């Protein structure tokens, strides 16, 4: 029987050594990657916290959870869907939540869906309540609520930070599980690099500002439909950004400040890497590395100036693409012999990365597949695939298991044909596609474009990513009956991945006019 450790990082795009990033220092996550199968094309279903988390924790897409904002609880609003932790709990696992796993608030019934999903009440770090407080020392010596917020941890309320507290609690639970000898499903959700970029200041030392480049395409693309642009309003509301008086919606941030945001994002990632290293080291110390599946992912990505955009809230790869890796003892790595460490802690300040990377799988995969995949890996019965409308079905998933990519080596995939398929599963000959979507209140950027409430949604951008392209159609949407009208196309985007890797040159208008989309949704 395998335990499960699910690590979910908030707003983490794949700026990690194991994804080929040359600047970041992420030795602990890279070490996990070296023992895992790493998916290089994994996508979230909506680039915002609550909808994405409810989607992958229930295995249903946002159109089925009917959550595109933060203000409804799916069990009441859509259907009484079973969640992944609930399914493990019903199959004899002790299920535990530490930090930000479900999005807190009404979207998880103010209880992180306890007691349905968890065996014990979810843990939230006490320092969480200071996240947006004035704890950042400015050049004037005063405290501010800034976006860029390196801090002296000893000066923080209670002398700690939320992610440090979450690691401590998760380590405590691992030790308890070892003593109790119960099989467990432990989900640990880290807050950083979500804004504000508040992290221990020593991590800045890893990233001298002169080494930090700007985004390769820091301009708003000429042919970007205005409905597609996200005006990063949450960032504009921070004290340090407010002081810059940047014009809404397209005014660019000054270049030196862009570099500071990118520098702090990297620093926050290294800070999380340390937490992950301590957590995995504790898994080792408890003697659980050979009997625990470890999954590492994020709820969505984050723009760092690409297309003149910041934050998430869009359908671009930078906002929808996430890291996703699975460590499965004995399958992705050989079992460690007695007393040998699988995950020795690596200090980012002294460790020079020299890892040889394992297989990266380039198949398009979606976070909505996580539920069925983890059930499959743990040897539980895989929940059935949902029927076309599934509001009344408690247990089914809209994401097919991707275990076939984990169990078969790259060589074997070549043998069974280019699509990694021996006709044993549905849709064998079809190229895998990752779907994402994003709502807008209007065709032009508004103050609520990033986070429209359900009643204000008028347009929905449906986006599909294949190996060759990303195609998005923005269509009329009626929030009162949750219906999208594919006859009412407001705008379209088409980017060819090979010739336009950053998605800067929209060629939708000089090509197919959405016929492709209808064919696929048909």
């Amino acid at each position: 029987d395998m335990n499960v450790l699910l690590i979910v990082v908030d707003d983490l795009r794949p700026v990690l050594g194991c994804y080929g990033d040359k600047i970041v220092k992420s030795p602990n996550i890279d070490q996990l990657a070296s023992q895992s199968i790493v998916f290089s094309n994994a996508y979230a279903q909506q680039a915002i916290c609550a909808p994405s988390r409810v989607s992958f924790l229930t295995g249903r897409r946002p159109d089925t959870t009917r959550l595109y904002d933060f203000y409804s609880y799916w069990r009441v609003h859509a259907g009484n869907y079973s969640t992944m932790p609930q399914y493990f709990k019903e199959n004899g696992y002790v299920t535990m939540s530490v930090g930000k796993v479900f999005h807190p608030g009404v979207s998880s019934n103010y209880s992180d869906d306890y007691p349905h999903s968890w065996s014990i009440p979810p843990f939230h770090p006490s320092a969480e309540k200071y996240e947006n407080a004035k704890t950042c020392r400015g050049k004037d010596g005063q405290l501010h609520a800034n976006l860029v917020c390196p801090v002296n941890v000893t000066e923080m309320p209670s002398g700690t930070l939320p992610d440090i507290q979450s690691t401590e609690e998760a380590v405590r639970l691992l030790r308890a599980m070892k003593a109790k000898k119960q099989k467990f499903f432990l989900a640990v959700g880290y807050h950083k690099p979500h804004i504000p970029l508040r992290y221990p200041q020593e991590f800045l030392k890893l990233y001298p500002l002169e080494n930090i480049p700007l985004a390769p395409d820091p301009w708003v693309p000429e042919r970007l439909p205005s409905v597609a642009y996200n005006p990063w309003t949450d960032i504009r509301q921070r004290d340090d950004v407010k002081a810059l008086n940047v014009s809404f919606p397209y005014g660019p941030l000054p270049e030196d400040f862009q570099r500071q945001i990118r520098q702090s994002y990297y620093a926050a990632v290294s800070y999380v890497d340390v937490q992950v290293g301590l957590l995995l080291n504790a898994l080792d110390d408890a003697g659980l590395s050979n009997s625990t599946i470890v999954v590492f992912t994020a709820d969505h990505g984050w723009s760092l100036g690409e297309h003149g955009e910041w934050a998430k809230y869009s359908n671009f790869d930078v906002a929808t693409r996430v890291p996703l890796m699975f460590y499965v003892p004995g399958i992705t790595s050989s079992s460690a012999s007695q007393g040998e460490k699988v995950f020795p802690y690596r200090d980012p300040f002294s460790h020079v990365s020299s890892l040889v990377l394992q297989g990266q799988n380039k198949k398009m995969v979606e976070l909505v597949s996580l539920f069925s995949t983890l059930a499959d890996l743990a040897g539980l019965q895989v929940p059935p695939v949902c029927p076309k409308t599934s509001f009344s079905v408690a247990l089914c998933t809209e994401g097919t298991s991707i275990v076939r990519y984990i169990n078969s080596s790259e060589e074997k995939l070549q043998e069974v044909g280019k699509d990694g398929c021996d006709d044993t599963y549905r849709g064998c000959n079809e190229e895998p596609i990752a779907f994402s979507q994003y709502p807008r209140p209007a065709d032009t950027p508004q103050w609520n474009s990033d986070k429209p409430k359900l009643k204000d949604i008028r347009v929905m951008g449906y986006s599909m990513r294949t190996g060759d392209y990303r195609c998005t159609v923005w269509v009329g949407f009626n929030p009162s009956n949750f219906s999208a009208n594919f006859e009412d196309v407001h705008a379209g985007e088409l980017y060819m991945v090979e010739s336009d890797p950053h998605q800067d040159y929209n060629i939708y208008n000089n090509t197919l006019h959405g016929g492709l989309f209808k064919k696929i949704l048909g």
Side-chain angles (χ1 to χ4, degrees):
D1 278 355
M2 285 284 177
N3 306 306
V4 176
L5 173 59
L6 169 63
I7 303 169
V8 181
V9 184
D10 214 353
D11 292 19
L12 176 66
R13 60 190 256 165
V15 293
L16 298 164
C18 53
Y19 278 87
D21 190 285
K22 300 285 189 281
I23 297 170
V24 77
K25 306 222 172 354
S26 54
N28 293 290
I29 298 167
D30 296 347
Q31 173 170 260
L32 172 63
S34 73
Q35 307 287 325
S36 302
I37 179 151
V38 175
F39 286 91
S40 54
N41 278 304
Y43 296 89
Q45 275 47 78
Q46 193 181 323
I48 190 168
C49 307
S52 172
R53 289 163 187 265
V54 167
S55 171
F56 70 72
L57 287 163
T58 60
R60 317 274 185 131
R61 297 180 188 278
D63 281 346
T64 306
T65 66
R66 294 188 159 170
L67 181 72
Y68 314 105
D69 59 17
F70 296 82
Y71 308 106
S72 67
Y73 180 39
W74 78 92
R75 291 186 192 273
V76 175
H77 184 76
N80 189 20
Y81 312 145
S82 297
T83 68
M84 170 167 49
Q86 178 182 357
Y87 189 61
F88 275 83
K89 187 169 90 134
E90 286 162 0
N91 279 282
Y93 282 72
V94 176
T95 58
M96 302 167 286
S97 170
V98 170
K100 185 175 173 183
V101 180
F102 276 103
H103 192 86
V106 64
S107 63
S108 56
N109 204 33
Y110 299 101
S111 67
D112 299 86
D113 196 43
Y114 175 79
H116 300 285
S117 286
W118 312 108
S119 308
I120 60 174
F123 169 86
H124 285 278
S126 61
E128 216 175 273
K129 59 178 167 289
Y130 306 108
E131 269 299 272
N132 297 305
K134 297 189 172 190
T135 54
C136 327
R137 205 166 285 293
K139 292 198 172 66
D140 55 7
Q142 302 299 308
L143 292 175
H144 301 272
N146 285 344
L147 170 63
V148 171
C149 187
V151 297
N152 177 341
V153 177
T154 59
E155 289 174 5
M156 290 300 100
S158 315
T160 187
L161 290 172
D163 288 339
I164 295 172
Q165 291 181 299
S166 291
T167 301
E168 288 163 355
E169 176 65 9
V171 168
R172 197 182 68 73
L173 289 170
L174 285 173
R175 290 186 185 135
M177 284 298 108
K178 180 198 178 182
K180 286 200 179 75
K181 295 191 168 52
Q182 276 171 306
K183 59 181 180 178
F184 64 84
F185 177 106
L186 171 60
V188 181
Y190 287 116
H191 282 78
K192 296 301 111 182
H194 192 288
I195 68 171
L197 296 167
R198 187 169 75 126
Y199 54 86
Q201 59 199 20
E202 58 270 21
F203 286 92
L204 273 177
K205 289 208 267 295
L206 295 171
Y207 302 105
L209 204 52
E210 62 271 19
N211 296 355
I212 304 293
L214 295 175
D217 53 349
W219 62 89
V220 179
E222 203 174 308
R223 293 198 201 151
L224 180 70
S226 54
V227 68
Y229 181 78
N230 76 277
W232 37 281
T233 46
D234 56 351
I235 285 179
R236 296 170 191 275
Q237 286 152 14
R238 308 282 161 171
D239 292 353
D240 49 353
V241 181
K242 242 189 226 157
L244 298 168
N245 281 328
V246 182
S247 65
F248 183 90
Y250 296 116
L253 288 169
E255 288 193 357
D256 59 330
F257 195 75
Q258 292 191 36
R259 274 183 227 279
Q260 284 176 41
I261 298 177
R262 289 172 66 96
Q263 173 193 40
S264 274
Y265 188 90
Y266 276 110
V269 171
S270 290
Y271 159 58
V272 170
D273 182 76
V274 164
Q275 303 309 315
V276 171
L278 294 168
L279 178 64
L280 293 173
N281 187 53
L283 187 75
D284 252 353
D285 286 346
L288 295 164
S289 300
N290 277 343
S291 56
T292 305
I293 295 161
V294 181
V295 190
F296 177 91
T297 192
D299 54 354
H300 44 71
W302 215 76
S303 300
L304 284 166
E306 295 85 3
H307 315 112
E309 294 179 308
W310 300 88
K312 46 253 187 182
Y313 317 122
S314 83
N315 277 321
F316 282 117
D317 275 18
V318 278
T320 55
R321 185 169 164 246
V322 291
L324 178 63
M325 60 189 83
F326 293 86
Y327 161 78
V328 188
I331 291 179
T332 62
S333 71
S334 46
S335 294
S337 49
Q338 201 56 44
E340 188 192 350
K341 286 190 88 96
V342 186
F343 303 118
Y345 173 72
R346 304 191 150 188
D347 180 353
F349 293 93
S350 57
H351 185 78
V352 180
S353 193
S354 55
L355 289 174
V356 181
L357 283 182
Q358 282 259 81
Q360 287 234 356
N361 190 303
K362 294 189 170 58
K363 284 277 180 285
M364 298 296 127
V365 296
E366 305 177 289
L367 284 188
V368 75
S369 290
L370 202 53
F371 187 164
S372 44
T373 304
L374 269 178
D376 207 346
L377 286 173
L380 305 179
Q381 193 171 351
V382 180
V385 173
C386 291
K388 202 160 176 64
T389 50
S390 61
F391 295 108
S392 57
V393 185
L395 180 67
C396 68
T397 75
E398 294 182 300
T400 47
S401 167
I402 57 173
V403 161
R404 61 187 182 279
Y405 301 147
I406 297 171
N407 289 343
S408 51
S409 61
E410 281 296 323
E411 298 78 66
K412 182 152 167 283
L413 283 178
Q414 301 306 318
E415 278 163 44
V416 294
K418 202 161 75 57
D419 53 4
C421 177
D422 47 12
D423 276 319
T424 49
Y425 78 97
R426 248 172 23 117
C428 190
N429 317 324
E430 292 166 21
E431 183 188 13
I433 296 173
F435 290 95
S436 303
Q437 64 191 93
Y438 212 85
R440 294 281 186 239
D443 289 323
T444 53
Q446 313 290 318
W447 273 99
N448 63 339
S449 285
D450 293 347
K451 295 192 263 198
K453 292 186 169 160
L454 174 65
K455 66 176 173 48
D456 298 324
I457 298 171
R458 294 293 174 271
V459 190
M460 188 69 75
Y462 288 94
S463 191
M464 29 183 251
R465 177 68 153 80
T466 72
D468 297 323
Y469 59 83
R470 177 175 284 288
C471 180
T472 304
V473 287
W474 297 90
V475 300
F477 184 84
N478 179 345
S480 58
N481 60 4
F482 300 93
S483 64
N485 178 4
F486 282 87
E487 303 300 308
D488 175 24
V489 177
H490 292 223
E493 297 170 79
L494 177 64
Y495 306 100
M496 304 315 288
V497 171
E498 194 152 326
S499 56
D500 181 17
H502 302 300
Q503 298 165 10
D504 294 317
Y505 302 98
N506 177 14
I507 59 168
Y508 180 87
N509 282 349
N510 34 9
T511 50
L512 65 198
H513 292 291
L516 179 76
F517 225 98
K518 286 204 188 105
K519 189 182 89 202
I520 284 176
L521 291 163

